[in-house]
Amino acid sequence: MTDLERWRLILGEPAERHCGGLSGNSGDGAGGAGGRGGNSGRDAALEWLYGRDPELQRQGVRTGGQGESVLRTVDWLDDIHRLFPKDTIERLERDAVERYGITDVVTDPAVLARIEPNAALLRAVLRTKHLMNPEVLLMARRIVAAVVEDLMRRLAREVQQPFTGTRNRRPSNVKNSRNFDFRATIRANLAHYQPEHRRVLIERPRFVSRTRRHVDQWQLVLIVDQSGSMVDSVIHSAVTAACLWGLPGLRTHLIAFDTNVVDLTSDVVDPVELLMKVQLGGGTDIARAVAYGAGLIDNPRRAILAVITDFYEGGSPYHLIQTVRGLVEQGTHVLGLAALDEDANPSYDRDLAQRLADVGAHVGAMTPGELAEFVAEKVG
């Protein structure tokens, strides 16, 4: 494919007088959208999707509706899987669902039967599962299970690593760099300090035990906003809770909320089932959810309450701030996380977040691994 042909594909039919036409059968594929292969097939597939963008139509960059026939989604999906590389296919599928709301990508049984699971499709399933009949819902669960399994595999080590081998200050005979106790070594060898060389001769290095010590039970209460904008944080909260479940010395709760509060703790061990129960959308009552989470706490000084939300409060900001103030004053560690996902790049109400920080909450955004490190530091 020449550079001019690439630009012609990007800009659409209006660029043809400058870039030239497209070859019908160049590249891979033999057949395709509207019966065409190669670059012509690619152009038809791109036109089917991006030609519907009203802004591009106003600019005259693309003109929708010029193809030989209106493609069904399943036919379009067949075409792009034959005509484009994997990373391009994922981008096209994501734009179809998230940019243009073509929900039959995840509600049409013929599409679900052959589509490759990915994170964008998982988000689409969670947003549209209320539209699915039981048969389609069962097929959609395959997407959820595959993506969650992959996410669990990638995050399990990151989340659990901070809790393994919590260091104990007892001396150890196991001499390795991980167990080296710098401060105790300096104290034990100060008698060998050489002023002229400004150094301490180490005759008796000190090491600490890395065996797990007994820890008193801590509670982690994860409270996650299930409004549509928080879908990535909902997914990662479910997986994080599953990774933390059963760790010694830690009892994990998972609460989801909109204007109602749902305790999902009993489903934490099965994040697929948990996510299939989440209902995205609706209003937001952060104060009510935090008050519920506060009621779960047994020992305030051994509890961490993390509320994961964009801080756009539909309930009472006053009651939310007062509840958080009370939690902090009783010794509970309160985290206000505007995002809990692999990017930790949130959009949130900075004013309310600042007011919560002013009464003692730790406010920010974290990856699951960073949350695990915070919890492990407090517990261990």
Side-chain angles (χ1 to χ4, degrees):
M1 186 190 304
T2 67
D3 288 341
L4 283 177
E5 285 178 315
R6 288 190 179 92
W7 278 111
R8 164 60 181 82
L9 284 173
I10 293 169
L11 297 175
E13 189 176 345
E16 192 160 305
R17 65 181 184 272
H18 300 290
C19 302
L22 293 169
S23 56
N25 291 301
S26 67
D28 58 327
R36 292 171 292 178
N39 290 335
S40 295
R42 293 186 185 97
D43 185 55
L46 293 172
E47 192 70 44
W48 183 86
L49 181 62
Y50 296 111
R52 68 192 66 219
D53 193 315
E55 181 61 28
L56 293 179
Q57 290 184 26
R58 282 194 295 271
Q59 295 174 6
V61 177
R62 280 197 170 276
T63 56
Q66 301 298 315
E68 296 176 11
S69 63
V70 178
L71 296 173
R72 291 175 57 244
T73 303
V74 67
D75 298 324
W76 174 78
L77 196 66
D78 285 334
D79 290 333
I80 66 171
H81 274 263
R82 182 175 58 255
L83 295 169
F84 294 100
K86 186 174 186 294
D87 56 344
T88 304
I89 293 167
E90 291 175 354
R91 173 61 185 268
L92 292 171
E93 290 175 344
R94 183 169 69 248
D95 283 352
V97 173
E98 298 185 350
R99 186 171 174 179
Y100 299 112
I102 305 174
T103 56
D104 52 353
V105 169
V106 287
T107 57
D108 186 328
V111 177
L112 285 172
R114 68 176 307 278
I115 202 164
E116 285 295 322
N118 59 58
L121 293 175
L122 170 57
R123 292 192 292 268
V125 167
L126 296 185
R127 290 188 174 113
T128 60
K129 58 187 172 65
H130 64 285
L131 303 173
M132 301 176 186
N133 62 43
E135 178 188 359
V136 173
L137 197 61
L138 188 63
M139 299 176 70
R141 188 185 178 94
R142 176 181 68 91
I143 293 175
V144 177
V147 179
V148 167
E149 181 182 356
D150 178 66
L151 196 57
M152 285 280 291
R153 185 167 52 250
R154 289 190 287 113
L155 291 184
R157 179 175 175 79
E158 180 184 354
V159 170
Q160 294 171 358
Q161 179 65 32
F163 293 87
T164 60
T166 304
R167 294 209 307 177
N168 196 330
R169 302 313 300 177
R170 293 178 299 180
S172 171
N173 292 322
V174 180
K175 297 177 173 60
N176 62 48
S177 59
R178 293 182 66 210
N179 295 345
F180 182 65
D181 191 331
F182 174 79
R183 293 181 181 178
T185 298
I186 294 297
R187 286 196 300 269
N189 293 274
L190 281 176
H192 308 298
Y193 179 64
Q194 297 178 330
E196 67 277 15
H197 298 295
R198 298 173 63 86
R199 66 183 181 183
V200 175
L201 290 178
I202 305 300
E203 292 188 358
R204 292 182 297 167
R206 291 289 184 263
F207 299 87
V208 293
S209 171
R210 211 166 174 84
T211 57
R212 181 176 298 280
R213 63 182 178 184
H214 171 75
V215 292
D216 293 328
Q217 186 82 353
W218 276 70
Q219 281 179 281
L220 172 63
V221 182
L222 290 174
I223 303 173
V224 59
D225 185 342
Q226 61 179 354
S227 59
S229 62
M230 299 296 294
V231 61
D232 277 323
S233 291
V234 170
I235 294 167
H236 285 80
S237 295
V239 173
T240 301
C243 293
L244 293 172
W245 188 262
L247 289 177
L250 184 66
R251 181 155 51 101
T252 303
H253 306 260
L254 182 63
I255 315 300
F257 74 94
D258 40 41
T259 52
N260 297 309
V261 178
V262 182
D263 194 328
L264 297 170
T265 304
S266 61
D267 293 308
V268 163
V269 293
D270 185 353
V272 174
E273 179 64 25
L274 189 153
L275 288 172
M276 295 302 288
K277 289 184 177 180
V278 166
Q279 298 295 328
L280 296 175
T284 307
D285 193 337
I286 310 172
R288 183 176 183 181
V290 172
Y292 178 88
L296 297 175
I297 294 173
D298 298 326
N299 184 346
R301 294 187 176 278
R302 293 193 175 275
I304 300 166
L305 184 144
V307 56
I308 303 146
T309 179
D310 56 13
F311 300 105
Y312 289 102
E313 173 64 297
S316 169
Y318 173 79
H319 287 135
L320 172 62
I321 292 166
Q322 290 304 107
T323 302
V324 170
R325 186 197 303 274
L327 286 166
V328 172
E329 289 177 349
Q330 71 182 11
T332 299
H333 301 280
V334 179
L335 285 175
L337 299 181
L340 180 67
D341 56 41
E342 292 173 281
D343 295 326
N345 184 25
S347 173
Y348 61 101
D349 186 335
R350 296 176 182 274
D351 177 65
L352 182 57
Q354 183 61 58
R355 292 168 68 185
L356 293 173
D358 291 342
V359 297
H362 306 273
V363 175
M366 290 182 176
T367 65
E370 289 168 343
L371 174 62
E373 288 176 4
F374 180 92
V375 175
E377 180 182 348
K378 303 304 178 186
V379 172

Short mmCIF file of all heavy atoms in Angstrom, two decimals, residues 268-318:
data_model
loop_
_atom_site.label_atom_id
_atom_site.label_comp_id
_atom_site.label_asym_id
_atom_site.label_seq_id
_atom_site.Cartn_x
_atom_site.Cartn_y
_atom_site.Cartn_z
N VAL A 268 -17.20 -11.66 46.29
CA VAL A 268 -15.83 -11.22 45.99
C VAL A 268 -14.99 -12.36 45.42
O VAL A 268 -14.14 -12.14 44.55
CB VAL A 268 -15.18 -10.62 47.26
CG1 VAL A 268 -13.67 -10.53 47.11
CG2 VAL A 268 -15.75 -9.24 47.52
N VAL A 269 -15.22 -13.58 45.89
CA VAL A 269 -14.40 -14.70 45.41
C VAL A 269 -14.69 -15.05 43.95
O VAL A 269 -13.93 -15.78 43.32
CB VAL A 269 -14.62 -15.95 46.30
CG1 VAL A 269 -14.07 -15.71 47.69
CG2 VAL A 269 -16.09 -16.34 46.35
N ASP A 270 -15.77 -14.53 43.40
CA ASP A 270 -16.13 -14.79 42.01
C ASP A 270 -16.36 -13.45 41.31
O ASP A 270 -17.50 -12.99 41.17
CB ASP A 270 -17.40 -15.65 41.93
CG ASP A 270 -17.73 -16.06 40.50
OD1 ASP A 270 -17.06 -15.58 39.57
OD2 ASP A 270 -18.67 -16.85 40.32
N PRO A 271 -15.28 -12.78 40.87
CA PRO A 271 -15.43 -11.44 40.28
C PRO A 271 -16.28 -11.42 39.02
O PRO A 271 -16.88 -10.39 38.70
CB PRO A 271 -13.99 -11.01 39.99
CG PRO A 271 -13.18 -12.25 40.00
CD PRO A 271 -13.87 -13.19 40.93
N VAL A 272 -16.38 -12.54 38.30
CA VAL A 272 -17.23 -12.58 37.12
C VAL A 272 -18.69 -12.44 37.53
O VAL A 272 -19.44 -11.61 37.00
CB VAL A 272 -17.01 -13.88 36.32
CG1 VAL A 272 -18.00 -13.97 35.16
CG2 VAL A 272 -15.59 -13.94 35.80
N GLU A 273 -19.11 -13.25 38.50
CA GLU A 273 -20.48 -13.17 39.00
C GLU A 273 -20.75 -11.79 39.58
O GLU A 273 -21.82 -11.21 39.39
CB GLU A 273 -20.71 -14.26 40.05
CG GLU A 273 -22.10 -14.25 40.67
CD GLU A 273 -23.19 -14.55 39.65
OE1 GLU A 273 -22.90 -15.21 38.63
OE2 GLU A 273 -24.34 -14.12 39.89
N LEU A 274 -19.76 -11.25 40.28
CA LEU A 274 -19.90 -9.93 40.89
C LEU A 274 -20.17 -8.87 39.83
O LEU A 274 -21.09 -8.05 39.96
CB LEU A 274 -18.64 -9.60 41.69
CG LEU A 274 -18.65 -8.37 42.59
CD1 LEU A 274 -17.67 -8.55 43.74
CD2 LEU A 274 -18.28 -7.12 41.81
N LEU A 275 -19.36 -8.88 38.77
CA LEU A 275 -19.53 -7.87 37.72
C LEU A 275 -20.85 -8.03 36.98
O LEU A 275 -21.44 -7.03 36.55
CB LEU A 275 -18.36 -7.93 36.74
CG LEU A 275 -17.03 -7.41 37.29
CD1 LEU A 275 -15.89 -7.71 36.31
CD2 LEU A 275 -17.09 -5.91 37.57
N MET A 276 -21.32 -9.25 36.85
CA MET A 276 -22.60 -9.45 36.18
C MET A 276 -23.77 -8.92 37.02
O MET A 276 -24.86 -8.70 36.50
CB MET A 276 -22.82 -10.94 35.87
CG MET A 276 -21.82 -11.51 34.87
SD MET A 276 -21.78 -10.66 33.26
CE MET A 276 -23.34 -11.18 32.55
N LYS A 277 -23.53 -8.71 38.31
CA LYS A 277 -24.57 -8.16 39.18
C LYS A 277 -24.53 -6.63 39.25
O LYS A 277 -25.49 -6.01 39.71
CB LYS A 277 -24.42 -8.72 40.60
CG LYS A 277 -24.80 -10.18 40.73
CD LYS A 277 -24.72 -10.65 42.17
CE LYS A 277 -25.18 -12.09 42.31
NZ LYS A 277 -25.12 -12.57 43.72
N VAL A 278 -23.41 -6.03 38.82
CA VAL A 278 -23.28 -4.58 38.90
C VAL A 278 -24.26 -3.93 37.92
O VAL A 278 -24.42 -4.38 36.78
CB VAL A 278 -21.83 -4.17 38.57
CG1 VAL A 278 -21.73 -2.68 38.29
CG2 VAL A 278 -20.92 -4.55 39.72
N GLN A 279 -24.91 -2.87 38.37
CA GLN A 279 -25.82 -2.12 37.52
C GLN A 279 -25.25 -0.72 37.31
O GLN A 279 -25.33 0.13 38.19
CB GLN A 279 -27.21 -2.03 38.17
CG GLN A 279 -27.89 -3.37 38.38
CD GLN A 279 -28.23 -4.07 37.07
OE1 GLN A 279 -28.50 -3.42 36.07
NE2 GLN A 279 -28.21 -5.39 37.08
N LEU A 280 -24.64 -0.49 36.16
CA LEU A 280 -24.01 0.80 35.89
C LEU A 280 -25.08 1.85 35.59
O LEU A 280 -26.11 1.56 34.98
CB LEU A 280 -23.05 0.70 34.71
CG LEU A 280 -21.84 -0.21 34.91
CD1 LEU A 280 -21.05 -0.31 33.62
CD2 LEU A 280 -20.95 0.30 36.03
N GLY A 281 -24.76 3.09 35.99
CA GLY A 281 -25.66 4.20 35.70
C GLY A 281 -26.42 4.62 36.94
O GLY A 281 -26.14 4.19 38.05
N GLY A 282 -27.39 5.49 36.75
CA GLY A 282 -28.17 5.96 37.88
C GLY A 282 -27.51 7.15 38.55
O GLY A 282 -26.52 7.69 38.08
N GLY A 283 -28.06 7.54 39.68
CA GLY A 283 -27.54 8.69 40.41
C GLY A 283 -26.35 8.31 41.28
O GLY A 283 -25.79 7.22 41.17
N THR A 284 -25.98 9.24 42.16
CA THR A 284 -24.82 9.02 43.02
C THR A 284 -25.10 9.59 44.40
O THR A 284 -25.34 10.80 44.53
CB THR A 284 -23.57 9.71 42.43
OG1 THR A 284 -23.40 9.30 41.09
CG2 THR A 284 -22.33 9.36 43.24
N ASP A 285 -25.07 8.74 45.41
CA ASP A 285 -25.21 9.19 46.80
C ASP A 285 -24.01 8.66 47.59
O ASP A 285 -24.07 7.60 48.21
CB ASP A 285 -26.53 8.68 47.39
CG ASP A 285 -26.88 9.37 48.72
OD1 ASP A 285 -25.94 9.87 49.38
OD2 ASP A 285 -28.07 9.40 49.08
N ILE A 286 -22.92 9.43 47.53
CA ILE A 286 -21.68 8.99 48.18
C ILE A 286 -21.85 8.95 49.68
O ILE A 286 -21.36 8.04 50.36
CB ILE A 286 -20.51 9.92 47.78
CG1 ILE A 286 -20.45 10.09 46.26
CG2 ILE A 286 -19.18 9.37 48.29
CD1 ILE A 286 -19.45 11.16 45.80
N ALA A 287 -22.54 9.95 50.22
CA ALA A 287 -22.71 10.04 51.68
C ALA A 287 -23.38 8.79 52.23
O ALA A 287 -22.97 8.24 53.27
CB ALA A 287 -23.51 11.29 52.03
N ARG A 288 -24.40 8.32 51.55
CA ARG A 288 -25.13 7.13 52.01
C ARG A 288 -24.23 5.91 51.99
O ARG A 288 -24.24 5.09 52.92
CB ARG A 288 -26.35 6.92 51.12
CG ARG A 288 -27.23 5.76 51.54
CD ARG A 288 -28.46 5.69 50.65
NE ARG A 288 -29.37 4.63 51.08
CZ ARG A 288 -30.51 4.34 50.46
NH1 ARG A 288 -30.87 5.05 49.40
NH2 ARG A 288 -31.28 3.36 50.90
N ALA A 289 -23.43 5.77 50.93
CA ALA A 289 -22.54 4.61 50.81
C ALA A 289 -21.46 4.62 51.88
O ALA A 289 -21.14 3.59 52.48
CB ALA A 289 -21.92 4.58 49.42
N VAL A 290 -20.88 5.79 52.12
CA VAL A 290 -19.82 5.89 53.14
C VAL A 290 -20.39 5.61 54.53
O VAL A 290 -19.74 4.96 55.36
CB VAL A 290 -19.13 7.27 53.06
CG1 VAL A 290 -18.18 7.46 54.24
CG2 VAL A 290 -18.37 7.40 51.75
N ALA A 291 -21.59 6.10 54.80
CA ALA A 291 -22.23 5.82 56.09
C ALA A 291 -22.45 4.32 56.26
O ALA A 291 -22.24 3.78 57.36
CB ALA A 291 -23.55 6.57 56.19
N TYR A 292 -22.84 3.63 55.20
CA TYR A 292 -23.00 2.17 55.28
C TYR A 292 -21.65 1.51 55.57
O TYR A 292 -21.55 0.63 56.43
CB TYR A 292 -23.58 1.63 53.98
CG TYR A 292 -23.73 0.12 53.97
CD1 TYR A 292 -24.88 -0.48 54.45
CD2 TYR A 292 -22.70 -0.69 53.50
CE1 TYR A 292 -25.02 -1.87 54.45
CE2 TYR A 292 -22.82 -2.08 53.52
CZ TYR A 292 -23.99 -2.67 53.99
OH TYR A 292 -24.10 -4.02 54.01
N GLY A 293 -20.61 1.93 54.85
CA GLY A 293 -19.29 1.36 55.06
C GLY A 293 -18.79 1.61 56.47
O GLY A 293 -18.17 0.72 57.08
N ALA A 294 -19.07 2.80 57.01
CA ALA A 294 -18.65 3.11 58.37
C ALA A 294 -19.30 2.17 59.38
O ALA A 294 -18.68 1.79 60.39
CB ALA A 294 -18.99 4.56 58.70
N GLY A 295 -20.52 1.75 59.09
CA GLY A 295 -21.22 0.84 59.99
C GLY A 295 -20.66 -0.57 60.01
O GLY A 295 -20.98 -1.36 60.90
N LEU A 296 -19.83 -0.91 59.03
CA LEU A 296 -19.22 -2.25 58.98
C LEU A 296 -17.96 -2.35 59.84
O LEU A 296 -17.49 -3.45 60.11
CB LEU A 296 -18.84 -2.60 57.54
CG LEU A 296 -19.98 -2.72 56.52
CD1 LEU A 296 -19.41 -2.95 55.12
CD2 LEU A 296 -20.95 -3.83 56.88
N ILE A 297 -17.42 -1.23 60.25
CA ILE A 297 -16.11 -1.22 60.91
C ILE A 297 -16.22 -1.69 62.35
O ILE A 297 -17.03 -1.18 63.13
CB ILE A 297 -15.50 0.20 60.83
CG1 ILE A 297 -15.20 0.54 59.36
CG2 ILE A 297 -14.25 0.30 61.69
CD1 ILE A 297 -14.75 1.97 59.14
N ASP A 298 -15.39 -2.68 62.70
CA ASP A 298 -15.37 -3.22 64.06
C ASP A 298 -14.37 -2.49 64.94
O ASP A 298 -14.68 -2.12 66.08
CB ASP A 298 -15.02 -4.72 64.02
CG ASP A 298 -16.05 -5.53 63.26
OD1 ASP A 298 -17.24 -5.16 63.31
OD2 ASP A 298 -15.66 -6.51 62.60
N ASN A 299 -13.15 -2.33 64.45
CA ASN A 299 -12.08 -1.68 65.21
C ASN A 299 -11.59 -0.49 64.40
O ASN A 299 -10.83 -0.65 63.45
CB ASN A 299 -10.94 -2.67 65.47
CG ASN A 299 -9.85 -2.08 66.34
OD1 ASN A 299 -9.78 -0.87 66.55
ND2 ASN A 299 -8.96 -2.93 66.84
N PRO A 300 -12.02 0.73 64.73
CA PRO A 300 -11.72 1.90 63.90
C PRO A 300 -10.24 2.10 63.62
O PRO A 300 -9.86 2.56 62.55
CB PRO A 300 -12.30 3.07 64.70
CG PRO A 300 -13.37 2.46 65.54
CD PRO A 300 -12.87 1.09 65.89
N ARG A 301 -9.39 1.77 64.60
CA ARG A 301 -7.95 2.01 64.42
C ARG A 301 -7.27 0.91 63.61
O ARG A 301 -6.06 0.99 63.35
CB ARG A 301 -7.28 2.16 65.79
CG ARG A 301 -7.75 3.41 66.52
CD ARG A 301 -6.97 3.67 67.79
NE ARG A 301 -7.40 4.91 68.41
CZ ARG A 301 -6.98 6.12 68.04
NH1 ARG A 301 -6.10 6.23 67.07
NH2 ARG A 301 -7.43 7.20 68.66
N ARG A 302 -8.01 -0.10 63.25
CA ARG A 302 -7.46 -1.14 62.37
C ARG A 302 -8.38 -1.31 61.16
O ARG A 302 -8.74 -2.42 60.79
CB ARG A 302 -7.30 -2.46 63.13
CG ARG A 302 -6.24 -2.37 64.22
CD ARG A 302 -5.85 -3.73 64.74
NE ARG A 302 -4.75 -3.60 65.69
CZ ARG A 302 -3.48 -3.55 65.36
NH1 ARG A 302 -3.13 -3.60 64.08
NH2 ARG A 302 -2.54 -3.43 66.27
N ALA A 303 -8.73 -0.17 60.58
CA ALA A 303 -9.64 -0.20 59.43
C ALA A 303 -9.21 0.83 58.39
O ALA A 303 -8.71 1.90 58.72
CB ALA A 303 -11.07 0.09 59.88
N ILE A 304 -9.37 0.45 57.14
CA ILE A 304 -9.13 1.33 56.00
C ILE A 304 -10.41 1.36 55.18
O ILE A 304 -10.92 0.32 54.77
CB ILE A 304 -7.97 0.82 55.12
CG1 ILE A 304 -6.68 0.75 55.94
CG2 ILE A 304 -7.78 1.72 53.90
CD1 ILE A 304 -5.58 -0.04 55.25
N LEU A 305 -10.95 2.55 54.99
CA LEU A 305 -12.14 2.71 54.16
C LEU A 305 -11.74 3.49 52.91
O LEU A 305 -11.27 4.62 53.01
CB LEU A 305 -13.24 3.44 54.93
CG LEU A 305 -14.59 3.58 54.21
CD1 LEU A 305 -15.75 3.47 55.21
CD2 LEU A 305 -14.69 4.90 53.45
N ALA A 306 -11.89 2.85 51.75
CA ALA A 306 -11.54 3.48 50.47
C ALA A 306 -12.80 3.66 49.65
O ALA A 306 -13.45 2.69 49.30
CB ALA A 306 -10.52 2.62 49.72
N VAL A 307 -13.14 4.91 49.38
CA VAL A 307 -14.30 5.20 48.53
C VAL A 307 -13.78 5.62 47.16
O VAL A 307 -12.96 6.53 47.04
CB VAL A 307 -15.22 6.26 49.16
CG1 VAL A 307 -14.48 7.56 49.46
CG2 VAL A 307 -16.42 6.53 48.26
N ILE A 308 -14.22 4.91 46.13
CA ILE A 308 -13.72 5.10 44.77
C ILE A 308 -14.84 5.75 43.97
O ILE A 308 -15.86 5.12 43.66
CB ILE A 308 -13.31 3.74 44.16
CG1 ILE A 308 -12.26 3.08 45.05
CG2 ILE A 308 -12.78 3.92 42.74
CD1 ILE A 308 -12.34 1.59 45.09
N THR A 309 -14.67 7.03 43.65
CA THR A 309 -15.74 7.81 43.05
C THR A 309 -15.16 9.02 42.34
O THR A 309 -14.01 9.40 42.59
CB THR A 309 -16.74 8.27 44.13
OG1 THR A 309 -17.77 9.07 43.53
CG2 THR A 309 -16.05 9.11 45.20
N ASP A 310 -15.97 9.63 41.47
CA ASP A 310 -15.54 10.87 40.83
C ASP A 310 -15.91 12.09 41.66
O ASP A 310 -15.70 13.23 41.24
CB ASP A 310 -16.11 10.98 39.41
CG ASP A 310 -17.63 10.88 39.38
OD1 ASP A 310 -18.27 10.97 40.45
OD2 ASP A 310 -18.19 10.70 38.28
N PHE A 311 -16.49 11.87 42.84
CA PHE A 311 -16.81 12.93 43.82
C PHE A 311 -17.92 13.87 43.36
O PHE A 311 -18.11 14.92 43.98
CB PHE A 311 -15.56 13.74 44.22
CG PHE A 311 -14.48 12.91 44.84
CD1 PHE A 311 -13.34 12.57 44.14
CD2 PHE A 311 -14.60 12.45 46.15
CE1 PHE A 311 -12.35 11.80 44.70
CE2 PHE A 311 -13.62 11.67 46.73
CZ PHE A 311 -12.49 11.35 46.01
N TYR A 312 -18.64 13.52 42.30
CA TYR A 312 -19.80 14.33 41.93
C TYR A 312 -20.98 13.83 42.75
O TYR A 312 -21.64 12.86 42.40
CB TYR A 312 -20.06 14.22 40.42
CG TYR A 312 -19.03 14.94 39.59
CD1 TYR A 312 -18.01 14.24 38.96
CD2 TYR A 312 -19.04 16.33 39.49
CE1 TYR A 312 -17.03 14.90 38.21
CE2 TYR A 312 -18.07 17.00 38.74
CZ TYR A 312 -17.08 16.28 38.12
OH TYR A 312 -16.11 16.95 37.39
N GLU A 313 -21.22 14.49 43.86
CA GLU A 313 -22.17 14.02 44.86
C GLU A 313 -23.59 14.42 44.51
O GLU A 313 -23.88 15.61 44.32
CB GLU A 313 -21.78 14.59 46.24
CG GLU A 313 -22.77 14.31 47.36
CD GLU A 313 -22.92 12.82 47.68
OE1 GLU A 313 -23.37 12.07 46.80
OE2 GLU A 313 -22.59 12.43 48.81
N GLY A 314 -24.47 13.41 44.41
CA GLY A 314 -25.88 13.68 44.20
C GLY A 314 -26.65 13.68 45.49
O GLY A 314 -27.83 14.04 45.52
N GLY A 315 -25.99 13.26 46.57
CA GLY A 315 -26.61 13.29 47.89
C GLY A 315 -26.22 14.55 48.64
O GLY A 315 -26.20 15.65 48.08
N SER A 316 -25.87 14.38 49.92
CA SER A 316 -25.57 15.53 50.77
C SER A 316 -24.07 15.65 51.00
O SER A 316 -23.48 14.85 51.73
CB SER A 316 -26.27 15.38 52.13
OG SER A 316 -25.79 16.35 53.04
N PRO A 317 -23.41 16.65 50.38
CA PRO A 317 -21.98 16.86 50.65
C PRO A 317 -21.70 17.09 52.14
O PRO A 317 -20.68 16.64 52.66
CB PRO A 317 -21.63 18.10 49.81
CG PRO A 317 -22.66 18.11 48.73
CD PRO A 317 -23.91 17.59 49.37
N TYR A 318 -22.62 17.79 52.81
CA TYR A 318 -22.42 18.07 54.24
C TYR A 318 -22.35 16.77 55.04
O TYR A 318 -21.44 16.57 55.84
CB TYR A 318 -23.58 18.94 54.75
CG TYR A 318 -23.54 19.12 56.26
CD1 TYR A 318 -22.67 20.04 56.86
CD2 TYR A 318 -24.37 18.36 57.08
CE1 TYR A 318 -22.64 20.19 58.24
CE2 TYR A 318 -24.35 18.50 58.46
CZ TYR A 318 -23.47 19.42 59.03
OH TYR A 318 -23.42 19.56 60.40
#
